[in-house]
Amino acid sequence: MAAVQLSAQRARAVVSKETVTELQTAIHGQVLVPAGDGYDEARRIWNGMIDKRPALIARCTSTADVIAAVDFAREHGVPLSVRGGGHNVAGKALCDDGLVIDLSPMRAVHVDPDARVVRAQGGATLGDIDRETSAGGGFGLAVPLGVVSRTGVAGLCLHGGMGWLTRKHGLTLDNLIAVEIVTADGRLRRASETENADLFWAVRGGGGNFGVVTSFEFRAHSISPEVWFLCAMYPMSQAKRIVQFLERFMRQAPEELAVLVSLWSAPNDESIPSEHRGEPVIVLLGCYSGPFEKGERTIQPLRELGEPVADLSGPMPFAQVQCSLDADYPDGRLYYWKSVYLPELDEQIIDVLVDAARRRPSPLTSIDVWFLAGAAMRVRTDATAYVRRDVPYAIGIESNWTDPAESDANVAWAKKLFDALQPFSRGTYLNFPGFMEDSEKLLRGAYGANYKRLGAIKARYDPDNLFKGALNIPPNPPVAERNPPSADK
Ligand code: FAD
């Protein structure tokens, strides 16, 4: 309580006319303040559950702006948060009573088609990258990203990045070549395998703890102009049998085939026969990104698992596949998510999932099963800060609803399923936690043996924990036990 009051008092002190002018003079982008033009719009993010009131929002337009904003926060002792695509479910992009370093104006993407290298600014969305790399842009390339195009690449990459190309090419962070990052001392550093290699190790999984990434450099892969998209829905009554089939099928499926299973309700949409709209279903979503002529044959068995409620599968440009789920995640809806990694998908676990799916309080809610076996599992557990290389499954528990009066029931349902899965769990995917009830336990579970090294690198680059607005890894040793900081590059 005392800390909250202190931060609010400090923020009020900082937001004097003079300090706002100081920040506005230092950056080219806009500085927004409560009750000012554009403030309410800028503090709105994807999840309608989040209602935070920053003292200042710095809409950065360049690296120089980011440096000035970091310097300002450090020099005035103002708490800060960093906004990329604003899609963190727990609302980590924003902070109450502090400074938001908002990178949403920094979304430029540059593709070098010969080198197959893609550079994206720190506020770019997945759609920004797909647009430039896709066949539509003439390059026929793709960076492994996530499955909803409006998600920010920054948050996604810094904690992992799972999507349609993960089984074949690894997580988003496995395809990172370098970052440019403004660290707590206000310096712009480049980090790669050969420059500030400890920092590069840490940002590949350590989230926003180490500074503001102004630029990501990715390896891109060739992709055919069209790929096969899988979207087959069956009645929920068939869910157990179908998940059991998939568990066996995916063991021998080519890595070009990605599958995401969703226990959900058929949408009220013209693409679904009217008699099935709103019915509980199991949806097999997927993408075959290998040679086009093999795609139909590869996904066919998954379209013949019984009488489908609907089958929307077919060939389409990869960039279109990347947008195919966007409409299911509109801005402003109420969301509370959790996740669990699983080493196996046995009958007992499938029963837990199907039973919970039948009890969903909202038809918008889904339980998703990600099949991860492939390239991401072949990376050594100490090669990057992201450690969960040993699990073939991740479960996304997505509570989605519209009526605020139903929030308690929807949050309780997600927590109950999370608890029911704990006996089988190998930790949490840090990009999908709803709200952090027990951050330390969550982080230790998520990083395992890499947690200690992350603390030491944090102590080197952010000894005073300026970037504590992220899912926070505290500096270790803490500042009181240490000699002056030694980051000197
Ligand atoms: P923000 O809310 O903008 O930022 C989240 C945190 O990231 C910030 O607090 C900060 O710590 C850090 N951060 C942001 N920008 C920077 C920066 N430039 N430099 C340093 N730190 C920064 N994940 C998957 O792996 N695969 C998916 O398919 C997938 N689909 C999703 C679909 C939806 C609709 C949503 C809401 C999320 C999805 N996610 C997925 C999870 C997603 O990866 C995380 O929510 C992620 O945090 C979003 O990143 P962002 O930049 O939009 O987040």
Side-chain angles (χ1 to χ4, degrees):
M1 185 64 181
V4 172
Q5 278 166 359
L6 185 68
S7 122
Q9 277 165 8
R10 184 192 285 154
R12 271 196 295 277
V14 165
V15 186
S16 67
K17 218 170 155 189
E18 290 73 32
T19 45
V20 174
T21 307
E22 180 193 327
L23 183 59
Q24 183 62 86
T25 310
I27 76 169
H28 280 178
Q30 288 174 297
V31 175
L32 306 175
V33 292
D37 284 350
Y39 173 83
D40 277 326
E41 198 183 325
R43 76 180 182 88
R44 216 172 291 134
I45 52 173
W46 168 79
N47 187 353
M49 289 279 273
I50 309 297
D51 181 23
K52 293 188 187 172
R53 296 188 161 271
L56 295 162
I57 301 174
R59 291 176 66 84
C60 297
T61 56
S62 67
T63 299
D65 280 6
V66 173
I67 292 172
V70 169
D71 285 345
F72 177 89
R74 188 187 60 251
E75 284 160 15
H76 290 280
V78 184
L80 68 77
S81 66
V82 183
R83 175 181 175 149
H87 269 52
N88 178 273
V89 191
K92 286 281 177 184
L94 303 181
C95 55
D96 279 318
D97 303 319
L99 168 68
V100 176
I101 301 183
D102 180 357
L103 273 77
S104 47
M106 293 175 62
R107 292 172 51 180
V109 175
H110 177 264
V111 181
D112 179 339
D114 296 329
R116 297 189 177 187
V117 169
V118 175
R119 281 186 204 86
Q121 281 187 305
T125 63
L126 312 192
D128 294 330
I129 294 184
D130 287 323
R131 185 165 178 276
E132 296 301 322
T133 54
S134 68
F139 297 131
L141 294 172
V143 174
L145 299 167
V147 301
V148 175
S149 78
R150 296 183 58 218
T151 313
V153 73
L156 176 114
C157 173
L158 294 172
H159 274 310
M162 299 170 182
W164 301 127
L165 303 181
T166 305
R167 274 168 41 84
K168 177 70 180 163
H169 297 297
L171 300 165
T172 305
L173 58 76
D174 294 327
N175 292 277
L176 195 59
I177 300 169
V179 291
E180 288 182 1
I181 180 168
V182 178
T183 45
D185 54 4
R187 291 180 60 181
L188 179 68
R189 291 177 158 87
R190 192 177 150 86
S192 68
E193 291 287 4
T194 54
E195 305 139 287
N196 295 303
D198 55 349
L199 187 56
F200 187 56
W201 180 87
V203 296
R204 285 175 294 162
N209 276 284
F210 301 93
V212 185
V213 177
T214 52
S215 171
F216 292 87
E217 198 172 304
F218 293 109
R219 201 174 306 116
H221 304 273
S222 331
I223 195 153
S224 61
E226 286 207 312
V227 295
W228 274 86
F229 180 59
L230 168 73
C231 180
M233 297 184 194
Y234 300 92
M236 185 71 89
S237 57
Q238 302 301 307
K240 179 172 179 179
R241 175 181 65 81
I242 289 177
V243 178
Q244 283 178 318
F245 170 85
L246 269 167
E247 193 270 340
R248 293 188 303 273
F249 180 85
M250 291 306 286
R251 284 170 191 265
Q252 41 74 40
E255 289 183 355
E256 288 87 354
L257 178 65
V259 170
L260 173 58
V261 169
S262 196
L263 304 176
W264 196 39
S265 297
N268 274 322
D269 186 297
E270 279 181 4
S271 61
I272 309 295
S274 55
E275 68 273 23
H276 292 306
R277 291 179 198 160
E279 246 182 37
V281 284
I282 172 168
V283 190
L284 274 53
L285 295 161
C287 175
Y288 178 79
S289 57
F292 181 75
E293 60 284 3
K294 291 189 181 167
E296 186 168 21
R297 200 166 63 231
T298 308
I299 67 167
Q300 195 58 25
L302 304 180
R303 304 170 72 187
E304 296 171 347
L305 296 173
E307 185 63 35
V309 166
D311 183 358
L312 312 177
S313 312
M316 63 175 76
F318 183 68
Q320 195 180 328
V321 173
Q322 286 289 93
C323 303
S324 57
L325 305 181
D326 287 9
D328 299 322
Y329 298 97
D331 286 358
R333 195 174 267 176
L334 307 173
Y335 300 97
Y336 182 91
W337 292 5
K338 285 189 168 292
S339 78
V340 174
Y341 286 115
L342 294 175
E344 56 193 354
L345 203 51
D346 65 15
E347 186 174 2
Q348 203 185 349
I349 294 172
I350 296 171
D351 283 341
V352 170
L353 297 176
V354 174
D355 182 57
R358 291 208 173 98
R359 297 168 194 271
R360 289 166 306 137
S362 159
L364 301 171
T365 287
S366 68
I367 300 171
D368 297 340
V369 184
W370 295 74
F371 291 78
L372 300 173
M377 287 183 72
R378 288 192 286 272
V379 179
R380 279 200 347 256
T381 55
D382 62 355
T384 61
Y386 179 96
V387 78
R388 281 287 159 250
R389 305 295 186 169
D390 54 347
V391 285
Y393 309 106
I395 306 297
I397 304 170
E398 297 189 1
S399 233
N400 310 329
W401 70 103
T402 52
D403 182 354
E406 292 170 4
S407 293
D408 287 351
N410 284 279
V411 169
W413 173 87
K415 286 184 176 172
K416 193 169 171 198
L417 175 54
F418 181 76
D419 289 344
L421 291 172
Q422 286 315 296
F424 318 102
S425 167
R426 287 276 174 85
T428 285
Y429 176 40
L430 292 178
N431 266 337
F432 286 153
F435 298 83
M436 270 53 76
E437 284 88 3
D438 187 348
S439 174
E440 161 108 28
K441 187 171 161 211
L442 183 92
L443 291 176
R444 283 186 183 278
Y447 290 118
N450 287 347
Y451 190 64
K452 198 170 165 206
R453 186 172 171 198
L454 276 165
I457 298 172
K458 175 80 172 173
R460 181 157 197 245
Y461 290 95
D462 185 12
D464 298 315
N465 209 1
L466 186 67
F467 294 103
K468 61 158 106 34
L471 251 180
N472 193 223
I473 299 163
N476 187 17
V479 73
E481 297 169 22
R482 217 171 329 112
N483 292 324
S486 56
D488 53 5
K489 284 193 188 164

